[in-house]
Amino acid sequence: MSANTDLTSAPLPPEDSNTASITGATTQKPTTALFPTGSRRERPGALALTIGFGLVAVCLAGLFTSPSAAIGGAWCIGMMLVLLFLSVPVAIALSVPSIIGVYAVSGIPATMNILSTAPFSAVSDWSMSVLPMFIFMGMLLTQSGLSGKVYRVADHWFSWLHGGIGIGTTFAGAGLSAVTGSTIGMTYALGRAGIPEMLKAGYDRRMAVGTIMVSGMTGNLIPPSILMVVYAGIASVPVGPALMAGAVPGILLAVCFAAFIFAIGVIAPKLVGRGQNTENPTDGTDATRPTTTWRDRFTSLTSVWGFAVILVVLFGGMFSGIFTPTEAGAAAALCSLLLCLWEKRGEQPWRKVADSAMNTVAATSAIFFIMIGATMLTSLLAITGLAPILTGLITDLGLSRIGFLLVLIVLYIVMGMFFDTLSMMLLTIPILLPTLETMGVSPLWFGVFVVLLGEFAMVTPPVGIIPYIVHSIAKNPEVNLGATVTLRDIFISLLWFLPVVVIFLILMVAVPGMTEWLPDLISRTSGGMSG
């Protein structure tokens, strides 16, 4: 329960290592992996493996003795779940039971057909070429040292407000997780910088860690969102509208967190240290922060000029119709390449570009393998006839649209205790897609809904991954400044922040139009953005 998605085989930073040069202090080499390694749970022991493979054997026996194809498909789904619980790589857990199930139901010809067509059909769509472009862009921006600059700019611009450092951290986290594609990587980097800064300003320790934990939740909604691109590939919806659908909800959720922190600053100013010039409660020393002038604020913007250029190229190109989303991704990646070369001139910039390229290949390959597994799962559901049966079962429950979505909220939160966001998406979307039309749920809206629920599950106690990451960071004396941050403090802080997410999810259900407004606007102004 204390690690995360394994897609690049890059190691997680150790507890006592620094992961980003945000505050200007000397740090160790940052982790550049877009998807750090690990599993949502501890690796299974000998007893768990014995039980697990025993259950796999039971599923195989049930599959080959099933009286109908649909029951055989159900046994395959059970086998997938067992393999996922055993921490088998997601691509293998999806594809192997699917191949075995197709063989058991339809024989060798159908199996050979899936093996020969699924790998190509899953990843060959032209719109999927935007995925490596976005990943490469995120890798390059991380290598260029953008993290520290974005955080410093956010701190300069918002520190004058009640709870301003927390507000700045929230917006910095949303921006960093959006461009890097990794909520977990952003949490490491921002936690190392943000927690000590807030403690120095007199923030309550629970407020400090809570702000860090929720600051990256919106990153996989705001473009460029890798998970939204993956969703588009699974659900067969255009990539451009899928990317834009998450923008407004992502920005609104970040604003909601910022408004919540500001309200706390007004109602209970001691929790946010009254902004500045307060005594540090952890050691009794004067923690006066230097005064930030408007000149300092505008001057700080010059350090992120490259980031502004990339945003103009990415969004301006799509809004104007000059670029399709795929072309905009390529142009933004090119700008990121030039930015990295400029920012790291004299520091072996081409080596950093090469590292970014290798990490991009690793991450893209891992995602494509997983998408191939999802395509095989879809084929299994079609061949066994399990998909229409499941749709009929859900429809027969007589749930309204809102009731159906509320049940899904509970389902995804429970699944989030065991699986990461990508695993949940790949396992459930092929099963639920046929039901969406029956329930009157837009596929674009559902993509945003699923990604947000996945991020919500990552911070939900008691087994969400993010609380344990932040707790490990907060153990470092350089981060906690002598204060003791317990796991109980972590969970209490989440009880303050998570109701904001629940209210926002209810708002999304009540006002589904917030996800489709921006794609419709761009479609009208640019004449379409499908590829």
Side-chain angles (χ1 to χ4, degrees):
M1 63 182 176
S2 57
N4 45 302
T5 311
D6 180 6
L7 288 181
T8 61
S9 300
L12 282 172
E15 283 188 11
D16 59 349
S17 68
N18 290 337
T19 55
S21 301
I22 293 184
T23 59
T26 302
T27 59
Q28 299 176 20
K29 183 177 180 180
T31 296
T32 58
L34 187 69
F35 296 95
T37 188
S39 162
R40 292 298 299 274
R41 304 162 305 287
E42 299 292 339
R43 296 299 181 185
L47 178 60
L49 286 173
T50 302
I51 296 174
F53 284 113
L55 292 175
V56 170
V58 171
C59 291
L60 286 171
L63 169 63
F64 283 97
T65 58
S66 297
S68 68
I71 295 177
W75 281 112
C76 290
I77 298 296
M79 194 189 314
M80 289 178 195
L81 292 174
V82 172
L83 293 176
L84 286 170
F85 276 107
L86 290 174
S87 295
V88 173
V90 177
I92 296 176
L94 291 175
S95 58
V96 171
S98 298
I99 293 170
I100 296 174
V102 171
Y103 169 75
V105 172
S106 299
I108 293 179
T111 306
M112 295 302 297
N113 180 60
I114 286 180
L115 289 173
S116 61
T117 60
F120 181 78
S121 63
V123 300
S124 62
D125 190 278
W126 168 246
S127 63
M128 286 296 100
S129 61
V130 74
L131 188 62
M133 295 296 100
F134 282 164
I135 295 175
F136 190 43
M137 179 182 69
M139 296 289 184
L140 289 168
L141 291 177
T142 301
Q143 291 278 14
S144 67
L146 178 73
S147 303
K149 296 174 182 177
V150 169
Y151 181 78
R152 285 191 291 271
V153 169
D155 184 32
H156 279 319
W157 277 89
F158 296 103
S159 59
W160 61 277
L161 293 167
H162 288 285
I165 306 174
I167 293 171
T169 300
T170 297
F171 287 124
L176 291 175
S177 57
V179 298
T180 62
S182 174
T183 303
I184 294 167
M186 183 284 308
T187 300
Y188 271 108
L190 208 57
R192 296 285 309 191
I195 293 175
E197 285 297 310
M198 284 184 272
L199 291 178
K200 287 177 185 177
Y203 275 57
D204 184 276
R205 63 188 183 280
R206 293 164 295 184
M207 197 71 189
V209 295
T211 300
I212 295 297
M213 283 187 285
V214 301
S215 60
M217 283 188 65
T218 60
N220 277 310
L221 295 176
I222 301 172
S225 167
I226 293 171
L227 288 182
M228 291 304 296
V229 175
V230 173
Y231 173 80
I234 303 170
S236 300
V237 298
V239 170
L243 282 171
M244 292 298 104
V248 172
I251 293 171
L252 286 178
L253 182 56
V255 171
C256 287
F257 283 134
F260 174 76
I261 295 171
F262 178 79
I264 292 294
V266 173
I267 298 169
K270 288 185 178 180
L271 292 179
V272 297
R274 297 185 184 275
Q276 58 183 5
N277 299 330
T278 61
E279 184 176 77
N280 189 344
T282 63
D283 56 15
T285 61
D286 187 3
T288 302
R289 288 168 54 85
T291 302
T292 302
T293 65
W294 283 103
R295 178 184 178 86
D296 294 333
R297 294 186 180 102
F298 284 106
T299 301
S300 69
L301 293 176
T302 61
S303 65
V304 292
W305 62 269
F307 185 45
V309 170
I310 292 171
L311 291 179
V312 170
V313 170
L314 189 63
F315 293 103
M318 285 191 286
F319 265 104
S320 64
I322 297 175
F323 296 141
T324 66
T326 303
E327 294 165 346
L334 175 61
C335 292
S336 301
L337 172 62
L338 298 176
L339 176 64
C340 185
L341 292 175
W342 173 258
E343 293 289 344
K344 294 300 177 181
R345 60 192 184 280
E347 301 179 36
Q348 296 183 315
W350 287 110
R351 183 180 182 88
K352 297 184 181 299
V353 172
D355 289 343
S356 298
M358 291 299 295
N359 287 333
T360 299
V361 171
T364 304
S365 301
I367 293 175
F368 279 176
F369 273 118
I370 292 174
M371 293 180 66
I372 291 170
T375 300
M376 291 180 174
L377 172 59
T378 303
S379 299
L380 172 72
L381 295 175
I383 290 174
T384 60
L386 192 59
I389 291 175
L390 292 174
T391 301
L393 289 174
I394 295 173
T395 304
D396 291 342
L397 293 176
L399 296 174
S400 64
R401 172 183 170 275
I402 293 178
F404 170 67
L405 295 175
L406 291 177
V407 169
L408 286 185
I409 290 175
V410 176
L411 172 66
Y412 275 103
I413 290 175
V414 172
M415 290 184 65
M417 297 180 181
F418 308 102
F419 306 122
D420 55 70
T421 306
L422 190 59
S423 300
M424 288 190 290
M425 289 172 57
L426 294 165
L427 186 63
T428 59
I429 289 171
I431 296 173
L432 293 173
L433 275 176
T435 310
L436 298 182
E437 185 176 354
T438 304
M439 291 291 178
V441 177
S442 163
L444 283 181
W445 182 92
F446 188 69
V448 178
F449 183 71
V450 168
V451 171
L452 179 55
L453 279 177
E455 296 295 298
F456 180 64
M458 289 181 69
V459 300
T460 304
V463 288
I465 172 64
I466 296 297
Y468 295 95
I469 289 176
V470 173
H471 183 236
S472 69
I473 295 170
K475 291 179 182 178
N476 192 313
E478 295 179 4
V479 174
N480 61 40
L481 305 182
T484 300
V485 181
T486 65
L487 202 55
R488 182 174 182 271
D489 293 328
I490 298 284
F491 289 162
I492 289 175
S493 69
L494 286 171
L495 292 177
W496 296 353
F497 281 91
L498 290 187
V500 177
V501 188
V502 174
I503 293 171
F504 189 81
L505 282 169
I506 295 172
L507 180 64
M508 272 192 65
V509 173
V511 189
M514 73 167 67
T515 62
E516 298 183 0
W517 172 78
L518 187 58
D520 290 343
L521 175 63
I522 297 179
S523 182
R524 291 195 303 268
T525 56
S526 66
M529 52 168 183
S530 59

